[in-house]
Amino acid sequence: MSNRSRSRRHEDKGFTCINCGLQVPGQSWGTRHRNHCPACLWSRHVDDQPGDRASPCKAPMEPVGIEVRPDGEWAIIHRCTGCGALKANRIAGDDAERALLGLALRPLARPAFPLE
Ligand SMILES: [Zn+2]
Ligand SMILES: [Zn+2]
């Protein structure tokens, strides 16, 4: 929380969901860097570090699971369909609960990690 003074609230223009086409605003409750669609939870590989928009990949990132952290906070695990990178992103306050629950309850028929 050391870079709190670096306000970029009006620079984040948001994005259009690469999966369902929803226009997603850049700011939302519970997250500083909205990086996934609140409706279908898909993201896009644009960050090397959270919020830096420095990745050249730009491929869609599929939500593959939910991680519940020790403090009770939920995070979405995204897997890049382009390069295979796995990233955990905090959920936002307006993410669709049904989509989150569907992800949390997803059977292990599609494991987030290769079982090798
Ligand atoms: Zn979407
Ligand atoms: Zn990627």
Side-chain angles (χ1 to χ4, degrees), residues 44-46 55-61 79-85 87:
R44 200 174 178 198
H45 194 183
V46 294
S55 174
C57 182
K58 304 291 192 286
M61 296 190 78
R79 180 170 52 196
C80 181
T81 60
C83 69
K87 287 177 180 288

Side-chain angles (χ1 to χ4, degrees), residues 72-87:
E73 185 174 68
W74 282 31
I76 301 172
I77 311 297
H78 284 107
R79 180 170 52 196
C80 181
T81 60
C83 69
L86 287 165
K87 287 177 180 288

Side-chain angles (χ1 to χ4, degrees), residues 8-76:
R8 307 187 56 179
R9 300 182 66 86
H10 300 290
E11 294 177 30
D12 200 335
K13 296 283 201 302
F15 61 96
T16 300
C17 176
I18 203 164
N19 184 54
C20 73
L22 185 74
Q23 185 64 45
V24 182
Q27 293 292 324
S28 65
W29 297 337
T31 183
R32 285 185 301 148
H33 300 290
R34 158 67 78 187
N35 59 9
H36 59 266
C37 173
C40 69
L41 307 180
W42 278 63
S43 184
R44 200 174 178 198
H45 194 183
V46 294
D47 295 342
D48 281 336
Q49 303 297 321
D52 68 2
R53 302 293 190 265
S55 174
C57 182
K58 304 291 192 286
M61 296 190 78
E62 181 183 10
V64 294
I66 294 286
E67 174 186 73
V68 181
R69 295 179 172 171
D71 61 2
E73 185 174 68
W74 282 31
I76 301 172

